[in-house]
Amino acid sequence: MIHIDHIHKKFGTHTVLNDISIKIEEGQIFGLLGQNGAGKTTLMKIMLGLLKADQGDVRILGESVRFGNTPTNQHVGYLPDVPSFYPYMTAYEYLLFCGEVTGLDKKVRVERAKRYLALVGLPFNRKRIGGFSRGMKQRLGIAQALIHQPKVLICDEPTSALDPVGRREMIEILQRIKHETTVIFSTHILSDAEKICDRVAFLHNGTFQLSGKVSDILKQHQKPILRVVVQQMADAEKLKPLLTNATQSGTTFTIPSANLLETQQQIFEQCIQQQIAIQSIEIEQSTLEDVFLEVIQS
Amino acid sequence: MNQVSALFKKEWIDFFRNYRLLILATVFFILAFSSPLTAKFMPEILGNFLPKDVADSFPTPTAFDSWQQFFKNFSQIGLFVFVLIFGASLSNERQHGTLVIPLTKGLSRTSVILVKSLFSMIMWTVIYVLSVLVVYAYTIYYWPKEDVQHLFLSVFLLWLFGIFVASVLILGNVLFRSFFGTLLFAVGILIVLFIISLFEKLKDLSFIRLISENNLVLHGEYVWSDYTGVLITTTICIIACHLLAIVLFNRKGI
Amino acid sequence: MDQVRELLPILIPLIILEWTLAIVALVHVIRHPHYRFGNRIMWILIVLFIQIIGPIVYFLFGRGERDDSY
């Protein structure tokens, strides 16, 4: 369905994408994961013909993406990371406008505008977009991206700017539209990706460090972990050199372990020796986030 | 065709709901109404404050004075307000990124430029013509026996200058991301035109004539055939501004 | 008196236009409490007492970005 073929992209001397290749199949939710600045937006913009790749080719339904006004965009719906709409229009008027731009007949665009407003849970009223909350704008963003019933929906960080409730609602919407279209979405919030993605790819240092089915990735990389939280940053600094295979964020250490009892014992011994106060210690299964942190720190 | 009609509707909603129509129409009509008013009553009003011999030295106002006021008002305040209203119509969208979504949906950039420009020209034309009718009606009412010559030519010249300004604005909007940039660009063009009109050889071709000779036309000093050269150069410049704007805009990133 | 009577047919539309502008602006100032700068009292005074220019400056530069309803 979508072939990304040896894409290279540099901004000045900084290489953002270094020989990226992947195939995305129909009917999936595909998660493009990576830290801020990893190149997720750049890759998406190349897929939309908004940016020119230095090398390589993207094919959507067998047709190559051209820079500029690319005909492949008729199969693609796009939700930018910070979508800007005309604040003086209502959501319904905006959808009609988008429908007319994509060449839908009047009857069709009226019917679809109403249907997609309902699908994303926006009321049909006279409120102007200028007064919308972020969550409402993000929903309108989904609705406008679907108005021409594209085969692919590309969403750039659709959940990042939202509060927890808004995020959950957005995830529900994405799950609902999975039957209508293939969804590609980027995020740095890995728990969101874990919830809904069929397949993911981790973008880091310009290449895909890891990609595949979420279930496969977890099966392969998931192991029991110890999550240790110490009380103070100073304690964390003391513990850090002792735990070579751990990933650290603040005062929390995540330690993958094959033999839990043994690892636990080591940690306790070290803490007693170094006089480190432990706030909590838990045994968990590693999440997608842990896998990712492990990959980028190794 | 679909896209053009969608864009026109969008421009109209913007124009109406953001109070631009209100501003443009009321300012133009206020200018129109005050033209015959100032011409007719300013000498009388001044007469109340000035010594009698000075006041008596004012010539009696004529229909010609009424039109003179009209041209003064519209070539200065009128055009300025027009620039204020349309000076950022595209650069605003580029600043806020509101074109990203429609453009990824396959909206043609050429249509964006042409519709924006055409829309401002239509608004200029409609409100300008209505204003001319207002001045015409009141001038006939107050000076029923007087007549000015070549009124249509005179009014046409200022209208054409407005169309030229609209073309400069659309080019400025592509070249600059801010209203201020476009404004400076328009002022710069005006200065260049003034400088051109200083050269004896080029004087006849300078568009400044479109807004500086209206009164003389009314006195019958110029006729249509005196303007052939200017009309041709103006038309060429209007088309050139659009072509340049379209070519440049098609190359820009968003 | 004669002079005033002669003026009326042109003064009336002028006054109507000026006040339309002022009143539309006034209603907007009161109904939308967000401004790019300044406060409500300031804008009410500007819109009412600086004829023509006051409302234009308000609509073009002073009006807040948020605009929720008709």
Side-chain angles (χ1 to χ4, degrees):
Chain A
M1 163 125 212
I2 297 177
H3 289 253
I4 295 173
D5 211 7
H6 300 287
I7 289 286
H8 291 255
K9 179 74 189 175
K10 267 187 191 175
F11 288 118
T13 55
H14 177 58
T15 304
V16 182
L17 300 175
N18 186 15
D19 200 20
I20 291 277
S21 296
I22 202 161
K23 272 187 206 172
I24 299 167
E25 278 147 40
E26 202 165 345
Q28 294 185 333
I29 299 188
F30 179 84
L32 187 58
L33 313 181
Q35 293 162 307
N36 288 329
K40 302 181 301 261
T41 302
T42 307
L43 183 58
M44 290 187 154
K45 286 195 168 162
I46 289 173
M47 293 166 76
L48 288 154
L50 294 176
L51 273 177
K52 206 176 165 74
D54 299 335
Q55 260 181 62
D57 185 34
V58 176
R59 268 168 294 141
I60 296 177
L61 296 168
E63 206 178 337
S64 279
V65 173
R66 275 193 296 136
F67 172 67
N69 201 350
T70 172
T72 49
N73 273 357
Q74 71 195 59
H75 310 299
V76 181
Y78 174 49
L79 172 60
D81 49 352
V82 188
S84 339
F85 308 106
Y86 296 112
Y88 45 82
M89 285 188 184
T90 68
Y92 177 65
E93 285 167 342
Y94 191 77
L95 292 180
L96 288 186
F97 168 73
C98 288
E100 198 167 3
V101 164
T102 53
L104 301 177
D105 286 337
K106 179 149 196 194
K107 239 173 112 185
V108 181
R109 57 178 192 263
V110 165
E111 182 261 325
R112 285 206 198 154
K114 286 181 179 157
R115 177 143 56 96
Y116 286 114
L117 269 186
L119 179 84
V120 297
L122 282 176
F124 176 68
N125 60 18
R126 288 156 70 85
K127 193 177 164 77
R128 292 190 194 167
I129 301 169
F132 277 21
S133 68
R134 276 198 173 151
M136 292 168 79
K137 281 187 186 165
Q138 214 60 256
R139 290 162 191 229
L140 176 58
I142 297 269
Q144 64 76 22
L146 291 174
I147 196 88
H148 56 300
Q149 300 195 321
K151 294 267 191 335
V152 189
L153 175 65
I154 297 182
C155 309
D156 196 353
E157 300 269 0
T159 57
S160 310
L162 304 178
D163 59 21
V165 178
R167 265 167 55 196
R168 204 183 55 217
E169 285 170 350
M170 183 56 58
I171 283 173
E172 279 167 10
I173 291 172
L174 289 178
Q175 252 160 348
R176 229 177 291 153
I177 58 180
K178 187 183 163 182
H179 312 290
E180 296 194 23
T181 172
T182 306
V183 180
I184 299 175
F185 88 106
S186 71
T187 185
H188 63 270
I189 303 171
L190 299 190
S191 54
D192 287 350
E194 193 170 347
K195 269 179 226 151
I196 54 168
C197 289
D198 301 303
R199 277 168 182 272
V200 293
F202 288 114
L203 195 55
H204 186 65
N205 285 338
T207 54
F208 285 134
Q209 303 283 349
L210 201 61
S211 65
K213 274 191 179 166
V214 175
S215 51
D216 290 350
I217 290 179
L218 285 177
K219 208 182 287 167
Q220 238 172 38
H221 295 263
Q222 203 167 40
K223 40 195 153 187
I225 51 163
L226 277 174
R227 215 181 284 280
V228 179
V229 183
V230 294
Q231 278 205 310
Q232 283 164 3
M233 227 23 231
D235 291 340
E237 290 302 319
K238 274 194 261 175
L239 197 56
K240 194 176 170 183
L242 305 173
L243 300 171
T244 45
N245 57 347
T247 55
Q248 183 196 3
S249 71
T251 54
T252 307
F253 290 88
T254 306
I255 308 138
S257 162
N259 187 337
L260 282 172
L261 272 179
E262 199 179 295
T263 318
Q264 230 178 52
Q265 202 177 345
Q266 282 170 1
I267 290 170
F268 281 132
E269 276 170 8
Q270 280 161 350
C271 286
I272 291 166
Q273 272 175 20
Q274 300 278 328
Q275 299 206 309
I276 293 166
I278 293 176
Q279 188 172 311
S280 70
I281 181 160
E282 280 173 285
I283 299 169
E284 288 175 11
Q285 288 287 311
S286 56
T287 61
L288 206 53
E289 187 158 357
D290 299 318
V291 173
F292 181 51
L293 286 175
E294 206 183 315
V295 167
I296 64 173
Q297 288 192 359
S298 64
Chain B
M1 242 7 249
N2 249 338
Q3 295 194 340
V4 170
S5 106
L7 284 171
F8 265 114
K9 278 183 224 161
K10 187 212 90 194
E11 290 299 323
W12 172 254
I13 295 177
D14 181 9
F15 192 61
F16 184 79
R17 289 195 191 155
N18 285 327
Y19 301 91
R20 295 187 219 280
L21 173 64
L22 177 80
I23 294 173
L24 198 65
T26 41
V27 169
F28 273 33
F29 291 144
I30 285 170
L31 291 177
F33 280 110
S34 34
S35 300
L37 182 76
T38 334
K40 180 125 182 101
F41 298 102
M42 200 44 91
E44 291 183 34
I45 294 163
L46 285 177
N48 293 334
F49 303 101
L50 293 168
K52 198 171 179 328
D53 49 335
V54 179
D56 284 346
S57 72
F58 291 135
T60 328
T62 62
F64 175 79
D65 291 314
S66 172
W67 285 107
Q68 191 174 2
Q69 286 295 332
F70 167 80
F71 287 118
K72 195 183 111 213
N73 286 341
F74 275 76
S75 65
Q76 292 169 16
I77 309 173
L79 278 175
F80 178 69
V81 171
F82 180 67
V83 170
L84 221 53
I85 294 287
F86 289 107
S89 68
L90 179 62
S91 52
N92 235 337
E93 292 212 37
R94 289 168 59 211
Q95 249 177 25
H96 290 110
T98 43
L99 279 174
V100 173
I101 289 175
L103 288 180
T104 51
K105 289 193 179 308
L107 179 61
S108 125
R109 292 172 180 231
T110 308
S111 310
V112 172
I113 295 283
L114 289 181
V115 169
K116 281 211 179 271
S117 171
L118 200 59
F119 185 82
S120 69
M121 289 176 180
I122 292 173
M123 290 306 128
W124 161 256
T125 306
V126 170
I127 304 178
Y128 179 80
V129 168
L130 290 175
S131 306
V132 167
L133 291 178
V134 166
V135 180
Y136 185 73
Y138 277 95
T139 308
I140 286 192
Y141 175 76
Y142 284 118
W143 294 275
K145 296 212 175 68
E146 291 176 35
D147 212 0
V148 290
Q149 297 179 44
H150 303 296
L151 182 59
F152 183 76
L153 171 61
S154 186
V155 162
F156 170 82
L157 294 179
L158 178 51
W159 171 81
L160 185 65
F161 194 78
I163 298 292
F164 169 68
V165 169
S167 323
V168 169
L169 286 184
I170 200 69
L171 181 56
N173 264 291
V174 173
L175 292 174
F176 302 96
R177 261 178 193 275
S178 72
F179 168 66
F180 201 62
T182 308
L183 190 67
L184 285 182
F185 177 66
V187 171
I189 295 273
L190 214 61
I191 291 172
V192 170
L193 290 180
F194 266 113
I195 292 172
I196 290 175
S197 68
L198 293 179
F199 292 98
E200 199 55 42
K201 275 190 182 161
L202 296 172
K203 212 168 85 184
D204 283 352
L205 293 178
S206 169
F207 318 156
I208 291 295
R209 292 180 66 203
L210 299 177
I211 50 169
S212 63
E213 294 177 352
N214 310 71
N215 299 321
L216 300 175
V217 172
L218 293 182
H219 279 308
E221 292 193 20
Y222 293 102
V223 290
W224 278 98
S225 55
D226 293 317
Y227 289 97
T228 319
V230 180
L231 294 188
I232 292 170
T233 43
T234 314
T235 312
I236 290 172
C237 277
I238 289 171
I239 295 170
C241 280
H242 282 88
L243 289 179
L244 200 56
I246 289 168
V247 169
L248 291 176
F249 189 52
N250 271 301
R251 286 195 193 160
K252 292 241 166 180
I254 29 171
Chain C
M1 222 29 234
D2 268 359
Q3 195 184 338
V4 173
R5 192 169 304 139
E6 231 189 326
L7 274 166
L8 274 184
I10 202 160
L11 269 185
I12 289 171
L14 256 180
I15 292 167
I16 291 176
L17 284 170
E18 285 181 12
W19 280 98
T20 316
L21 207 53
I23 286 167
V24 175
L26 181 68
V27 170
H28 197 280
V29 172
I30 291 172
R31 285 182 51 188
H32 299 81
H34 304 286
Y35 314 107
R36 249 173 262 173
F37 55 91
N39 56 34
R40 180 179 285 186
I41 302 293
M42 179 191 106
W43 282 117
I44 290 179
L45 293 177
I46 288 179
V47 156
L48 285 183
F49 293 104
I50 308 177
Q51 280 291 331
I52 309 171
I53 295 170
I56 294 176
V57 170
Y58 172 69
F59 279 128
L60 291 182
F61 305 110
R63 187 161 61 99
E65 296 277 312
R66 275 175 65 110
D67 200 350
D68 328 55
S69 52
Y70 286 46

